[in-house]
Amino acid sequence: AATWNISNLIIIGLAASRGRRGSTGLTGQDANGVPLRRSKRGWMWNQFFLLEEYTGTDMQYVGKLHSDADRGDGSVRYVLTGDGAGTVFKIDEKSGDIHATKRLDREEKAYYILYAKAVNRFTNQALEGQSEFIIKIHDINDNEPKFTKDPYMARVPEMSDIGASVIQVTATDADDATYGNSARVVYSILEGQPYFSVDPETGLIKTALPGMDREVKENYQVVIQAKDMAGQMGGLSGTTTVSITLSDVNDNPPRFTKTLYDFRVPESLEPGSVVGVVRALDADIGENAEMDYRIIGSDGPGVFDIATNRSTQDGVIVLRKPLDFEKKHQFGLRLQVENVHLNPRFFSMGPFRDEASVKITVEDVDEPPVFERPSYIMEVKEDAAKNTVIGAVSASDLDDKRSPIRYTIDWRTDMDRVFNIHSGNGSVYVLRELDREENAWHNISVMATEFNNPQQISRVPVFIRVLDVNDNAPAFAANYETFVCENAKANQRIQTIGATDPDEPLAGHRFFFRVAPEAAGKANFSVHDNKDNTAWILTQRNGYNSLQKSVYHVPVVISDGDFPMQSSTNTLTVRVCSCDREGNMKLCNAEALTARAGLSTGALVAILLCVIILLMIVVLFAALRRQRKKEPLIVSKEDVRDNVVSYNDEGGGEEDTQAFDIGTLRNPEAIEESKQRRDILPETFYPPLRRPAPPPTYDNNGDVRDFISQRLQDNDGDPTAPPYDSLATYAYEGNGSVAESLSSLESVTTEGDQDYNYLSEWGPRFKKLADMYGGEDSGGES
């Protein structure tokens, strides 16, 4: 068996290795037939024990390893591997002695696992298989108990019973709890008696006195000690501080700071304003100090209210209704305050409420006069004479001074000065004539001012209704456009008429229709009253001739049924038109079309405005066209041709001189706008007669004749054309023209083949042109 020696150690639970020496046997042969031998294991170690915190000067001896294969000749070398091998633990290779090189702390590492083997020093061949062993560190009491917190914070309700749990403290000891009493902790209280106690085994802190009052003392500092070795002498200890606060409970009632509060407020104080603030104190805090105020008695119900200011817990008295010093000078209130959150546990300590009285004095303020009514409604007939009194307003000063009142009308509400008021007695009277049809209601504002203090002003609305008087005659309800067919029969209805009246009688309108007496004897038409505020216009004879008379005027008298009766004569214009068999209008002559029953002023103004706008548009359009850029007459510089200029020898000056635009020959569409004559009035109302085109003379000049004929018609129909004695030129250079250009440039040398005799047939306007070109010797001259 393997042998080992350990000096200065106590071996506990050693399970020694068992070595089997000299017990070798054949297990077989190798490939060469050499017998194989297996050496049985000769050594094994289980565990060693080492004391922690060694304080000696030499290295601490752990133990000795020895193998049966060691003959003492130094051929065996011992090798140590594993936790701390070579650093914490060293082994003598020859002797197998193991030493610890430094102090060991069990709390840092409680055991080390190492591996040992024996090898041949020369061949490095293992003599024994590797063996595992453990070095355990023996504990000593070298650590004091430590609390998990320092300090501890705890709260416990005030007035708690004895033994109420506060908090549990915990201390831990790093020593080995399985070996001795090094880690067995006992708790004790060093400071905090007699208020609190601690359980020595669990560390639970409890209250030790009943009725601890937060309002007397709120915070406590308790020192707890934890000692190991079960509290015996020589044990290590640690301490911690526990800060204990008594939490509040509602064990105190609120109390008013005064039994009687006195406030003074002006009567002009607006509803919703603060009258005063009352205060009650409560020794509790937080929600336990929250309180509600209420009015439990008042000689002015509903005038005041009270609310709680949650941030300050004050009672705020608020005005709910207007005050009036003249009606009540003083108010008395009875207030009550009570905690919101009550604790049934402390009901026995008395009622948690309090009461107080409040006196509120109303101070007099100079106020504006007060009208007897909030508004006034008056009525007056529209035919009332000037200075007619239609009603009166009344106001008074309710203050002690009883100042006289002066009445005026706010002229901003009566810009036309229709009414006035007596400044002394408030009588309202008429200043101007009234017209209900123009304004049926008048809304004015009457002001009442204190005579002694003009700054005190009050107003009241006065609504004046103008009563209707039958002062308007009825008239046609519409602008009727009536016609009668030429083939109409007698007693045929051609129009239904109605009436309108701006008056408004109480019983409603009742209109009467009839033909005017002066036209009744010779009337071509009759009026049939339908008794329903309408009437029919009927024919009196068969057949009407528009050539004899195209328009008839029927005077209709319309009367109302009110008193005094009003009537008016309205003329109905009837046009005579040709109609088909069904009576549908086909044609009316021009006179009948323009003859209307009469246009209203608004229609005439509208027509006039339309005419003015059209004239402005025409003038603007003409100005824009004059500013428009004309098409150049000569596009190319090589196109140089003579212009034919006409001269009026008989006068007119430069006004009669018009240059002929040669561009017209090239492009007939680019015709220069006609310039208006300023020496004659255009004959716009008498269109010129169309002159028939001259008969064609030569078929090969048809396009020239057509062009000149068109230009001739344009000049005859142009009211702005030159005078008759002016020379108008007509020329056209068309396709196949034998004349080619009329210009002297590029012209043929002779015009003998041209015949212009037909120009003499065109009238006096072309006489000079016929003389120039149509003569027999003209060809020789050119």
Side-chain angles (χ1 to χ4, degrees):
T3 61
W4 53 275
N5 296 316
I6 299 177
S7 61
N8 300 326
L9 289 177
I10 302 175
I11 302 174
I12 300 176
L14 175 62
S17 307
R18 294 190 298 275
R20 296 172 177 86
R21 185 185 310 175
S23 177
T24 61
L26 298 175
T27 62
Q29 297 178 350
D30 60 9
N32 299 325
V34 179
L36 295 177
R37 297 178 180 274
R38 182 177 67 84
S39 298
K40 295 183 179 180
R41 185 171 181 175
W43 59 291
M44 184 181 68
W45 295 265
N46 190 355
Q47 59 183 357
F48 298 133
F49 290 91
L50 185 64
L51 193 64
E52 71 169 334
E53 302 295 343
Y54 173 70
T55 59
T57 57
D58 298 331
M59 290 189 298
Q60 188 176 5
Y61 182 73
V62 179
K64 183 179 180 65
L65 300 180
H66 184 73
S67 175
D68 291 345
D70 189 357
R71 299 290 186 263
D73 54 0
S75 61
V76 177
R77 181 169 63 88
Y78 295 98
V79 179
L80 185 64
T81 60
D83 293 342
T87 55
V88 180
F89 301 101
K90 289 187 177 181
I91 188 171
D92 190 327
E93 295 181 351
K94 296 181 179 180
S95 62
D97 292 334
I98 301 174
H99 291 82
T101 61
K102 62 180 183 180
R103 290 174 56 182
L104 301 178
D105 189 354
R106 188 200 67 83
E107 287 72 36
E108 181 179 346
K109 192 171 181 64
Y111 62 90
Y112 297 84
I113 301 176
L114 296 148
Y115 303 94
K117 63 181 178 177
V119 299
N120 188 290
R121 180 180 298 277
F122 305 105
T123 65
N124 207 28
Q125 183 179 1
L127 301 177
E128 297 284 352
Q130 181 173 274
S131 179
E132 177 185 291
F133 66 96
I134 299 175
I135 298 177
K136 286 190 174 182
I137 310 301
H138 261 305
D139 182 50
I140 64 174
N141 189 19
D142 60 342
N143 290 281
E144 72 277 4
K146 293 184 178 179
F147 285 93
T148 56
K149 293 181 181 180
D150 188 20
Y152 285 85
M153 307 297 294
R155 298 179 66 86
V156 63
E158 64 173 330
M159 311 301 291
S160 296
D161 296 332
I162 297 176
S165 298
V166 179
I167 192 175
Q168 185 176 12
V169 296
T170 302
T172 59
D173 196 320
D175 293 327
D176 190 358
T178 64
Y179 180 72
N181 293 326
S182 297
R184 185 181 177 186
V185 178
V186 175
Y187 301 95
S188 61
I189 184 167
L190 300 183
E191 296 181 11
Q193 299 94 345
Y195 306 104
F196 302 96
S197 63
V198 63
D199 188 297
E201 299 294 333
T202 62
L204 179 62
I205 300 176
K206 301 178 180 180
T207 58
L209 282 180
M212 286 189 292
D213 193 354
R214 185 200 65 82
E215 287 73 33
V216 176
K217 185 176 182 180
E218 183 176 4
N219 298 312
Y220 296 85
Q221 298 293 327
V222 178
V223 179
I224 302 297
Q225 182 188 65
K227 190 173 184 181
D228 58 12
M229 297 301 291
Q232 298 177 5
M233 294 293 295
L236 302 178
S237 63
T239 61
T240 186
T241 301
V242 182
S243 179
I244 301 176
T245 301
L246 297 182
S247 60
D248 185 57
V249 297
N250 192 9
D251 58 342
N252 292 280
R255 292 289 181 264
F256 279 106
T257 57
K258 299 179 181 179
T259 57
L260 177 63
Y261 293 88
D262 191 0
F263 301 106
R264 303 182 69 86
V265 294
E267 64 172 333
S268 60
L269 190 68
E270 295 290 335
S273 303
V274 176
V275 175
V277 177
V278 298
R279 176 171 297 177
L281 300 179
D282 193 328
D284 298 322
I285 59 174
E287 67 176 14
N288 295 317
E290 292 182 1
M291 57 191 76
D292 281 337
Y293 297 87
R294 64 174 179 270
I295 299 175
I296 59 176
S298 173
D299 56 359
V303 178
F304 303 95
D305 196 6
I306 189 169
T308 304
N309 186 339
R310 291 303 175 189
S311 60
T312 61
Q313 299 302 318
D314 294 336
V316 181
I317 301 175
V318 180
L319 180 64
R320 289 302 178 199
K321 295 182 180 180
L323 298 175
D324 191 347
F325 172 82
E326 289 72 27
K327 293 182 178 179
K328 192 171 180 62
H329 301 273
Q330 185 174 294
F331 294 89
L333 306 179
R334 188 67 180 170
L335 305 182
Q336 184 184 81
V337 62
E338 184 177 14
N339 280 134
V340 177
H341 306 283
L342 300 177
N343 193 335
R345 177 185 170 193
F346 303 103
F347 281 171
S348 60
M349 299 181 66
F352 285 79
R353 66 176 65 92
D354 195 16
E355 294 182 1
S357 299
V358 177
K359 183 177 71 172
I360 300 175
T361 302
V362 181
E363 297 178 342
D364 187 25
V365 175
D366 191 9
E367 297 174 307
V370 178
F371 284 94
E372 292 182 353
R373 303 179 189 175
S375 63
Y376 291 85
I377 299 179
M378 302 179 183
E379 294 181 348
V380 58
K381 289 187 176 182
E382 61 178 324
D383 61 349
K386 296 182 180 179
N387 299 324
T388 300
V389 177
I390 61 177
V393 298
S394 178
S396 59
D397 183 14
L398 302 180
D399 298 326
D400 293 340
K401 301 177 182 179
R402 301 294 179 180
S403 173
I405 305 301
R406 179 176 177 269
Y407 300 95
T408 56
I409 291 180
D410 187 351
W411 297 117
R412 292 174 297 180
T413 62
D414 187 16
M415 301 294 292
D416 296 332
R417 305 295 179 96
V418 180
F419 304 97
N420 202 355
I421 190 171
H422 193 280
S423 61
N425 57 21
S427 299
V428 180
Y429 57 92
V430 179
L431 275 183
R432 298 177 56 184
E433 294 181 355
L434 302 174
D435 187 357
R436 188 203 65 85
E437 288 71 33
E438 179 181 350
N439 198 348
W441 283 89
H442 295 269
N443 303 330
I444 65 175
S445 178
V446 175
M447 299 182 296
T449 307
E450 289 186 7
F451 188 82
N452 297 331
N453 187 3
Q455 294 182 352
Q456 297 297 330
I457 303 173
S458 60
R459 290 177 170 82
V460 66
V462 178
F463 307 102
I464 302 174
R465 179 183 180 183
V466 181
L467 301 179
D468 184 39
V469 174
N470 191 26
D471 57 349
N472 291 278
F476 277 149
N479 186 17
Y480 299 105
E481 295 182 2
T482 307
F483 70 92
V484 62
C485 296
E486 290 180 325
N487 56 357
K489 302 299 181 182
N491 204 32
Q492 180 179 340
R493 182 179 64 185
I494 62 172
Q495 181 70 54
T496 301
I497 60 175
T500 182
D501 190 338
D503 294 325
E504 292 183 358
L506 297 178
H509 287 294
R510 176 66 179 94
F511 299 117
F512 303 93
F513 302 86
R514 58 189 174 89
V515 177
E518 62 273 13
K522 55 181 179 178
N524 293 285
F525 302 92
S526 62
V527 177
H528 176 73
D529 194 340
N530 296 324
K531 308 301 182 180
D532 59 355
N533 293 340
T534 64
W536 292 343
I537 306 299
L538 304 177
T539 59
Q540 287 284 81
R541 58 188 174 87
N542 295 327
Y544 295 85
N545 192 341
S546 61
L547 296 178
Q548 295 179 357
K549 189 171 186 179
S550 60
V551 177
Y552 291 92
H553 298 286
V554 181
V556 180
V557 177
I558 307 176
S559 305
D560 57 21
D562 204 358
F563 180 82
M565 180 177 291
Q566 301 285 344
S567 64
S568 65
T569 301
N570 301 264
T571 302
L572 180 67
T573 300
V574 181
R575 294 180 291 123
V576 180
C577 302
S578 61
C579 303
D580 56 15
R581 295 181 178 180
E582 286 75 18
N584 299 319
M585 181 178 64
K586 293 173 58 179
L587 179 65
C588 291
N589 58 17
E591 182 182 358
L593 288 174
T594 56
R596 302 293 182 184
L599 294 176
S600 63
T601 303
L604 291 175
V605 173
I607 293 174
L608 182 60
L609 288 176
C610 292
V611 172
I612 294 174
I613 292 174
L614 289 175
L615 290 176
M616 293 176 64
I617 292 175
V618 171
V619 173
L620 180 62
F621 181 76
L624 291 176
R625 290 200 60 182
R626 283 197 298 272
Q627 294 179 3
R628 186 183 304 169
K629 185 177 181 181
K630 302 294 189 301
E631 180 179 347
L633 299 179
I634 301 178
V635 178
S636 174
K637 293 183 178 180
E638 290 82 19
D639 190 7
V640 179
R641 303 184 183 182
D642 292 339
N643 291 340
V644 178
V645 182
S646 62
Y647 297 89
N648 182 7
D649 298 332
E650 295 185 4
E654 295 179 357
E655 295 291 339
D656 294 334
T657 303
Q658 299 290 336
F660 179 78
D661 191 353
I662 195 66
T664 305
L665 297 180
R666 189 186 318 108
N667 186 6
E669 294 179 359
I671 301 175
E672 183 179 2
E673 295 175 8
S674 299
K675 298 182 179 179
Q676 295 184 357
R677 289 290 306 270
R678 289 178 289 178
D679 56 340
I680 62 173
L681 181 65
E683 299 175 353
T684 58
F685 300 99
Y686 301 95
L689 299 177
R690 291 292 181 180
R691 187 186 305 272
T697 306
Y698 296 100
D699 295 334
N700 57 352
N701 293 330
D703 54 342
V704 176
R705 288 195 301 272
D706 294 339
F707 173 77
I708 296 178
S709 298
Q710 181 64 35
R711 294 295 301 270
L712 176 62
Q713 294 178 8
D714 294 340
N715 276 274
D716 289 342
D718 187 2
T720 62
Y724 292 132
D725 56 354
S726 297
L727 176 63
T729 60
Y730 302 89
Y732 176 72
E733 185 176 356
N735 295 330
S737 173
V738 295
E740 295 180 352
S741 173
L742 295 180
S743 172
S744 61
L745 300 177
E746 298 179 2
S747 300
V748 295
T749 58
T750 178
E751 293 182 357
D753 54 351
Q754 301 289 327
D755 187 2
Y756 298 100
N757 291 327
Y758 59 86
L759 295 176
S760 59
E761 300 176 1
W762 287 5
R765 291 189 179 185
F766 300 95
K767 182 177 184 304
K768 186 177 292 186
L769 187 63
D771 294 340
M772 294 175 61
Y773 291 96
E776 295 180 355
D777 54 347
S778 62
E781 293 177 359
S782 62

